[in-house]
């Protein structure tokens, strides 16, 4: 792994990579008492957010998976949409052993919590995410979710009702912050990331660009989808670029 920007550096080791991917709460002795929402996405060079099998994993690379694991290493919570949970077969998150001491020192749980945004609670409650959790999952739903499904979900997860037609993501992030879950890694999919950006809640974007062309089906999508942003384009500031075996890792923060 090498850094291209801001200052070129060859052969970043694991500790160097962790420094590159650190959170604001890791950079100061006075952590912010609000959530920092980081989008984590992968795309092909021609902009596809998933492969022909409808999964983002098929356009990932070994280098991307290593960075993905490092990004999860110090996250408090992984925020993900119900569609991505179903498509990618989400299970409980498991941090590498090398992060155990750092997580314990800052009062973090051993592994990130999975928080699912599912307006109608269209989830398989018998999947491994709910039957073999390492941390009790959180599910954000709307008032329109069926009462029977909500009752069933509460047996295996913390269910938070926030919003009528759509999950109010500002309320969701406030709830996470109230639990002390300040490092929010939003792994998508595109609809959730679009909603986060539309709500003005995206602080940072980590985009892996896989060295491949997908072509074909235009429905393979982009990393962000949904209605246009109400106030027009959101300006981003380039914070860094890493590279390994042709895979680029581009980090942006929201422009001030």
């Amino acid at each position: 792994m090498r850094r291209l920007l801001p200052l070129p550096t060859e052969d970043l080791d694991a500790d160097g990579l962790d420094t590159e991917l650190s959170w604001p709460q890791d950079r100061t002795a006075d952590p912010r008492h609000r959530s920092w929402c980081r989008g984590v996405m992968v795309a092909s060079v021609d902009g596809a957010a998933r492969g022909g099998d409808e999964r983002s994993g098929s356009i990932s690379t070994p280098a991307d998976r290593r960075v993905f694991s490092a990004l999860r290493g110090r996250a408090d919570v992984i925020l993900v949409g119900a569609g991505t949970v179903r498509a990618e077969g989400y299970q409980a998150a498991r941090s590498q052993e090398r992060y155990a001491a750092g997580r314990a020192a800052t009062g973090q749980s051993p592994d990130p919590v999975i928080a699912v945004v599912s307006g109608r609670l269209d989830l398989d409650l018998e999947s491994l995410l709910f039957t073999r959790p390492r941390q009790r999952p959180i599910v954000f739903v709307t008032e329109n979710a069926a009462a029977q499904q909500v009752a069933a979900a509460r047996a295996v997860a913390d269910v938070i009702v926030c919003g009528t037609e759509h999950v109010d993501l500002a309320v969701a992030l406030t709830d996470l912050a109230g639990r002390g879950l300040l490092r929010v890694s939003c792994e998508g999919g595109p609809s959730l990331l679009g909603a986060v950006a539309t709500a003005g809640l995206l602080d940072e974007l980590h985009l892996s660009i896989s060295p491949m062309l997908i072509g074909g089906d235009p429905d393979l999508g982009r990393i962000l989808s949904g209605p246009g942003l109400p106030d027009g384009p959101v300006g981003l500031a380039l914070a860094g670029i890493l590279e390994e075996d042709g895979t680029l890792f581009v980090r942006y923060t929201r422009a001030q």
Side-chain angles (χ1 to χ4, degrees):
M1 185 74 63
R2 60 178 178 143
R3 184 201 305 132
L4 302 180
L5 288 174
L7 296 174
T9 300
E10 298 289 337
D11 298 325
L12 282 173
D13 60 12
D15 290 337
L17 179 60
D18 288 341
T19 298
E20 293 294 319
L21 304 178
S22 63
W23 297 76
Q25 291 87 350
D26 298 331
R27 303 170 195 158
T28 173
D30 182 23
R32 291 168 35 167
H33 293 287
R34 68 177 283 286
S35 296
W36 179 270
C37 189
R38 168 184 282 178
V40 179
M41 300 294 283
V42 61
S44 65
V45 170
D46 57 334
R50 56 189 187 273
D53 61 356
E54 299 295 319
R55 297 176 61 249
S56 63
S58 63
I59 60 172
S60 182
T61 65
D64 172 58
R65 289 188 284 275
R66 188 155 70 88
V67 168
F68 183 78
S69 179
L71 285 166
R72 281 187 164 191
R74 288 302 303 273
D76 292 319
V77 59
I78 294 165
L79 185 67
V80 63
T84 298
V85 167
R86 293 190 295 268
E88 305 286 344
Y90 262 62
Q91 301 181 27
R94 188 184 298 267
S95 292
Q96 294 178 355
E97 182 62 29
R98 63 186 304 270
Y99 296 107
R103 295 182 70 91
T106 56
Q108 289 180 284
S109 61
D111 304 292
V113 178
I114 302 288
V116 185
V117 175
S118 180
R120 299 188 307 274
L121 236 176
D122 185 15
L123 295 167
D124 179 5
L125 300 179
E126 296 183 357
S127 69
L128 294 178
L129 175 59
F130 297 103
T131 58
R132 295 184 183 177
R134 293 173 66 85
Q135 303 289 334
R136 186 174 173 86
I138 300 168
V139 181
F140 294 109
V141 303
T142 67
E143 296 172 3
N144 292 331
Q148 184 177 3
Q149 186 76 342
V150 170
R154 283 187 166 139
V156 294
D158 290 351
V159 179
I160 311 299
V161 178
C162 50
T164 304
E165 297 296 328
H166 304 283
V167 170
D168 187 326
L169 292 169
V171 174
L173 288 185
T174 297
D175 178 86
L176 294 176
R179 298 167 184 259
L181 304 176
L182 302 179
R183 303 168 180 86
V184 181
S185 183
C186 179
E187 296 181 0
S191 295
L192 176 58
L193 186 63
V196 169
T198 297
L201 300 171
L202 185 64
D203 296 300
E204 189 175 356
L205 174 64
H206 281 251
L207 176 61
S208 296
I209 304 174
S210 292
M212 59 183 74
L213 298 172
I214 301 298
D217 190 348
D219 291 335
L220 293 177
R222 299 160 58 183
I223 66 165
L224 187 151
S225 65
L229 299 176
D231 298 322
V234 174
L236 300 175
L238 181 62
I241 303 176
L242 306 176
E243 185 273 340
E244 181 175 300
D245 294 334
T247 302
L248 291 175
F249 307 96
V250 187
R251 180 166 65 92
Y252 292 97
T253 57
R254 188 168 55 185
Q256 299 301 316

